[in-house]
Amino acid sequence: QVQLVESGGGLVQPGGSLRLSCAASGFTLDYYHIGWFRQAPGKEREGVSCISSSDGSTYYADPVKGRFTISRDNAKNTVNLQMNSLKPEDTAVYYCATPLYADYDCDRSADFGSWGQGTQVTVSS
């Protein structure tokens, strides 16, 4: 069973940066498509970014384009989400997950499973 663990969250001022990591144990993350999602209080879980295992192609939701970067660190067996120019509206619990289907939609959390426990990101002055 795929088990993922997120880390790297915290409190940061607007305009600041954080780097989240999605780690796996017992298997090679490079073989899996990975998605990052976030959920703010009272809101539905929304897709943030995805990275393909086949060709490394990436996807970013419109609210984070140009500010977030998803990447793989195969040496550490992690998928990272570099978040720059953070805004208060980025405040949420961030999760990583793997798709359940080959034809997945990065914007649809129902297409994903093996969710980690999440890591809290708070952007506030």
Side-chain angles (χ1 to χ4, degrees), residues 27-102:
F27 62 95
T28 302
L29 208 54
D30 191 37
Y31 296 153
Y32 290 80
H33 305 288
I34 295 294
W36 278 100
F37 290 78
R38 65 186 182 186
Q39 188 166 19
K43 294 188 176 181
E44 293 187 355
R45 193 168 296 188
E46 64 175 359
V48 174
S49 181
C50 287
I51 187 165
S52 168
S53 66
S54 54
D55 60 4
S57 58
T58 57
Y59 163 87
Y60 297 96
D62 285 342
V64 308
K65 278 181 182 176
R67 301 187 297 122
F68 291 12
T69 303
I70 191 170
S71 63
R72 295 184 182 272
D73 186 336
N74 293 334
K76 295 183 178 180
N77 200 26
T78 61
V79 171
N80 302 316
L81 187 68
Q82 178 67 40
M83 308 187 296
N84 299 329
S85 303
L86 283 163
K87 305 175 181 180
E89 51 263 43
D90 294 318
T91 295
V93 178
Y94 284 71
Y95 303 86
C96 60
T98 59
L100 298 171
Y101 320 110

